[in-house]
Amino acid sequence: MKGVGRLIRRALPNRQTCRSVLFSPLISRRLIFFSSRTPSFLGVGYSSSVLSPNSRGQRRNMFIQTQSTPNPSSLMFYPGRAVMEVGSTDFPNARSAMNSPLAKALYEIDGITRVFFGSDFITVTKSDDTSWDLLKTEIFAAIMEFYSSGQPLFLDSKTAKSTDTAIREDDSETVAMIKELLETRIRPAVQDDGGDIEYYGFDPDTGIVKLKMQGACSGCPSSSVTLKSGIENMLMHYVPEVKGVEQELDGEDEEEDALAGKFE
């Protein structure tokens, strides 16, 4: 992933890292224009319209940009305004999205398998058997309708922020250093690729840090390379107590891995 690759090049210039992490292609953002005159979508790069229920005939404009990610099944959508004021939130399934009107609306689109909110972007992941050409129109409309409705991003504000890297009074010096690195150096780089990383714990006996990949990074073909060649190298370089990094999987991912193991 380009974000983590750029971070590792700056922090560890003499360490060797995977080519897929360091040399991903330049990614461009495409501009989408919305107004409220006609209900048709003309495609990426053209002017288009979505009728807002609160517009009362008045013209309402909104720019939405898209950006590809290292995961071909995930796409980042930039609504041109802040999404999460603090932290990020991952919705790995439709059940977890019930507290967010926007995430729920996106999951109502056939073919959507994951939704993630970042600081100024929304990452949407689709199933392998669906096409972005078919999904983009509905995703644009859902985002536009949400921001025109005036609804809150979360029905329960208590779940609106991630505190996994908050340093607590009972944290050891090692754990505090791990959390600080994750929050200040690693998380911003991973978010550049439309995802995030969640801290799940550190075992002082084995030296293993448990992390969970979120958003576009979850299920990404290069996520294991990012975890090992990027994040693990950085943590081991700055925190000698760290001996390795392991990925915490969703329940559904664990079931898939178990089934795959039976057929090997």
Side-chain angles (χ1 to χ4, degrees):
M1 292 183 175
K2 71 180 182 68
V4 174
R6 187 170 58 249
L7 176 67
I8 302 305
R9 284 202 304 273
R10 290 199 305 262
L12 305 175
N14 296 323
R15 285 181 179 250
Q16 183 178 3
T17 52
C18 182
R19 289 176 61 87
S20 63
V21 176
L22 299 182
F23 301 109
S24 46
L26 293 176
I27 299 174
S28 61
R29 295 182 185 177
R30 299 182 181 182
L31 187 62
I32 310 300
F33 173 71
F34 282 97
S35 67
S36 57
R37 286 296 182 188
T38 60
S40 62
F41 175 72
L42 303 179
V44 175
Y46 292 83
S47 89
S48 181
S49 307
V50 172
L51 182 62
S52 168
N54 298 329
S55 62
R56 297 182 181 179
Q58 296 180 357
R59 187 180 181 88
R60 296 177 63 88
N61 300 330
M62 184 174 185
F63 289 93
I64 299 178
Q65 294 174 293
T66 64
Q67 179 174 310
S68 58
T69 75
N71 185 353
S73 295
S74 297
L75 198 61
M76 298 168 72
F77 293 80
Y78 289 81
R81 60 194 68 188
V83 179
M84 291 284 296
E85 294 182 1
V86 179
S88 62
T89 302
D90 189 37
F91 304 94
N93 51 56
R95 185 173 60 254
S96 65
M98 298 305 292
N99 185 46
S100 171
L102 176 55
K104 182 180 177 182
L106 291 170
Y107 263 110
E108 290 173 354
I109 302 172
D110 290 337
I112 302 303
T113 60
R114 198 179 195 110
V115 176
F116 175 82
F117 294 161
S119 59
D120 61 347
F121 64 88
I122 301 155
T123 299
V124 179
T125 303
K126 68 175 184 64
S127 58
D128 293 336
D129 58 351
T130 55
S131 168
W132 283 120
D133 293 335
L134 300 176
L135 291 176
K136 283 180 183 177
T137 304
E138 295 184 72
I139 295 172
F140 291 140
I143 294 173
M144 177 65 181
E145 184 175 352
F146 167 76
Y147 281 106
S148 299
S149 70
Q151 296 183 85
L153 189 62
F154 297 95
L155 300 178
D156 181 3
S157 59
K158 293 181 180 179
T159 62
K161 102 179 187 178
S162 172
T163 59
D164 61 296
T165 54
I167 298 177
R168 311 179 192 282
E169 292 184 2
D170 58 347
D171 283 341
S172 65
E173 182 179 353
T174 300
V175 170
M177 291 176 64
I178 293 170
K179 287 183 174 181
E180 183 177 359
L181 277 172
L182 290 173
E183 182 65 27
T184 62
R185 303 293 295 278
I186 296 173
R187 174 167 276 161
V190 176
Q191 287 180 344
D192 280 348
D193 288 325
D196 202 354
I197 191 161
E198 186 174 1
Y199 172 76
Y200 262 68
F202 170 70
D203 187 338
D205 295 328
T206 63
I208 298 298
V209 177
K210 290 237 176 180
L211 303 172
K212 183 177 180 181
M213 308 296 283
Q214 298 180 331
C217 298
S218 178
C220 176
S222 60
S223 63
S224 59
V225 178
T226 300
L227 200 68
K228 290 294 182 181
S229 297
I231 298 170
E232 183 178 80
N233 281 353
M234 172 165 275
L235 289 177
M236 290 173 63
H237 178 80
Y238 287 105
V239 187
E241 291 83 359
V242 174
K243 305 303 180 185
V245 172
E246 291 182 359
Q247 183 171 188
E248 189 79 11
L249 300 175
D250 292 327
E252 295 178 0
D253 294 334
E254 290 177 347
E255 292 177 6
E256 291 178 0
D257 286 352
L259 288 174
K262 290 180 180 180
F263 292 100
E264 289 181 354

